[in-house]
Amino acid sequence: MTRKIIIDTDPGQDDAVAILLALASPEDVDVLGITSVAGNVPLALTTKNARIICELAGKPDTKIFAGCDRPLRRDLVTAEYVHGKTGLDGPDWSEPTMPVQDQHGVDFIIDTLRSEAPGTVTLCPLGPLTNIATAFERAPDIVDRVQEIVLMGGAYFEVGNVTPAAEFNIYVDPQAADIVFRSGVPLVVMPLDVTHKALVTKPRNDAFRALPGAVGHAVAEMTDFFERFDKEKYGSEGAPLHDPTVIAYLIRPDLFTGRNINVQIETQSELTMGMTVADWWGVTDHPPNATFIGDLDADGFFDLLTERIARL
Ligand code: BDR
Ligand code: CA
C-alpha cells in the first residue's frame, strides 16, 4: 500500500539521496510535501537544496515548504565541514526555478495532519526535529493523527558524531527531539548504529555513476564529496548514507532489524547534550517508545537505491 509521507529535511547530500529515493518510488510513498529545516546549513540553503533535488528528479511539481530557521532554544549549529559551504557540494548545480510554497512548513504539517484521515500520514524527519516539535506544541490535536514517525537520528553503540556523546540531528535541537520522543507517536529510529553500516563503498558508488542519465552521476558526485570527511574520520571504506535508510525502511522494512525499546533524550548536561539514552539491554522498566534499528542488509539496501535511482 502507498504510504502518504511528509519529508522534513535539511539537505545535505544524504538527505538529497533520500528525497530521490522517495520521488522514484511513487507506488510505495506519496510525497505530500517536503518541509525544510535549518540543520546541515542555514534554512535558505536547505530550502534551495530541496528545490535543486526535486528538479534533478524531474519532479518540479513537488510541494516544498520552508520551516523553522533555528532550534527551539539553542543557537543553530551547522555542518559545512561535512557537507560543504552550500550543503550540497559536489556537482555543479544550476539555480533552481521551481517555487517554494507560501505556507510555513509547520503550518503545512499541521494542516495536512488535520485534513488527511487520522493514522494515514507518516512523518520522515531527516534533520533536527524543530519543525515536528513546533507543530506538536502548537497543535497538540495532531499528535494522535500521525501514523508513524520514521526518523534518522541518535546513536547508542556508535555514540556521537558531532560531540563524543551526541549525533548531529538530535544534538542540534535536543529540546525538539525530547518533545518528539515523549509524544507517544510510534517511532522508528535510524541511529548511527545502522547508518554506519550503510557505506557507499567504491563498487557501490561506481554502480550509481554507471546509471544512464544525470541522476546517478549526480548521486555519485555528491557521495564523492561527502565521503572524504567520513573516510578520514573513521577510516571506513566509504561514507555512511544516513538519511536514505528512512525511506528504504518504508519500502523494504524487511531489510532492517532492531529492538522496541525506551529511548530518552539528554537535555540538561552540556557534556552529553542530545545523547539518545537507549535502553537496548532492557535494564530499566521504562516502557518502550521506539523501534531502534541496529542492523540492515547493506547489499539489499544499495540494490534498492540503485534500482530506484535508475528510474529517474
Ligand atoms: C545526520 O546529520 C546530517 O549531517 C546528515 O544529513 C544526517 O541526517 C547524520 O548524523
Ligand atoms: Ca539530514
Side-chain angles (χ1 to χ4, degrees):
M1 215 189 73
T2 314
R3 270 169 89 147
K4 292 181 195 163
I5 67 169
I6 296 174
I7 301 178
D8 185 66
T9 178
D10 63 337
Q13 292 88 348
D14 62 321
D15 303 71
V17 179
I19 294 169
L20 293 171
L21 176 59
L23 294 178
S25 306
E27 73 275 46
D28 297 297
V29 290
D30 176 8
V31 182
L32 301 178
I34 295 178
T35 51
S36 60
V37 68
N40 286 323
V41 284
L43 182 73
L45 286 172
T46 60
T47 310
K48 176 179 174 186
N49 293 344
R51 293 162 67 215
I52 290 176
I53 294 306
C54 291
E55 289 187 0
L56 173 70
K59 312 271 181 190
D61 295 337
T62 309
K63 299 226 172 330
I64 296 177
F65 303 82
C68 297
D69 64 359
R70 74 191 69 148
L72 296 186
R73 294 213 276 281
R74 290 168 66 84
D75 290 339
L76 177 64
V77 175
T78 53
E80 285 87 355
Y81 58 98
V82 183
H83 301 274
K85 206 167 168 356
T86 66
L88 212 55
D89 279 21
D92 285 328
W93 304 109
S94 42
E95 232 10 68
T97 57
M98 66 177 281
V100 181
Q101 304 298 308
D102 291 337
Q103 193 178 27
H104 191 281
V106 169
D107 294 324
F108 171 72
I109 293 170
I110 294 171
D111 283 2
T112 306
L113 283 161
R114 283 182 177 158
S115 60
E116 298 287 341
T120 63
V121 176
T122 295
L123 303 178
C124 301
L126 310 176
L129 289 157
T130 319
N131 287 339
I132 312 295
T134 305
F136 284 4
E137 293 269 270
R138 209 177 281 167
D141 57 292
I142 65 172
V143 175
D144 286 348
R145 301 176 72 94
V146 179
Q147 180 176 7
E148 196 174 36
I149 296 178
V150 184
L151 68 90
M152 191 280 139
Y156 178 66
F157 293 99
E158 293 285 301
V159 203
N161 61 357
V162 61
T163 73
E167 181 278 330
F168 180 80
N169 290 342
I170 306 295
Y171 177 76
V172 172
D173 200 341
Q175 281 74 25
D178 186 44
I179 289 169
V180 170
F181 277 72
R182 286 176 191 276
S183 67
V185 175
L187 299 179
V188 178
V189 179
M190 295 291 169
L192 298 178
D193 305 347
V194 64
T195 67
H196 280 174
K197 294 173 183 161
L199 296 178
V200 194
T201 58
K202 185 164 186 317
R204 289 171 179 159
N205 213 26
D206 287 346
F208 290 139
R209 203 183 303 277
L211 294 174
V215 184
H217 193 79
V219 168
E221 300 236 296
M222 283 194 278
T223 311
D224 278 344
F225 182 87
F226 182 53
E227 78 174 3
R228 86 219 179 290
F229 175 78
D230 281 285
K231 268 179 150 173
E232 235 170 69
K233 180 171 167 194
Y234 295 109
S236 56
E237 305 164 75
L241 215 43
H242 307 281
D243 294 338
T245 58
V246 166
I247 307 297
Y249 176 85
L250 298 176
I251 303 172
R252 290 280 310 277
D254 58 298
L255 295 174
F256 297 87
T257 51
R259 293 186 183 183
N260 192 28
I261 59 170
N262 181 268
V263 182
Q264 296 184 34
I265 310 296
E266 174 62 72
T267 57
Q268 302 299 319
S269 151
E270 272 306 322
L271 182 65
T272 54
M273 184 62 72
M275 188 173 192
T276 42
V277 181
D279 190 9
W280 183 264
W281 299 113
V283 293
T284 72
D285 53 9
H286 299 145
N289 60 342
T291 300
F292 202 78
I293 302 295
D295 208 352
L296 88 169
D297 168 355
D299 286 331
F301 169 74
F302 279 96
D303 287 348
L304 173 71
L305 263 178
T306 313
E307 176 233 313
R308 295 295 165 101
I309 284 165
R311 295 170 167 187
L312 294 171

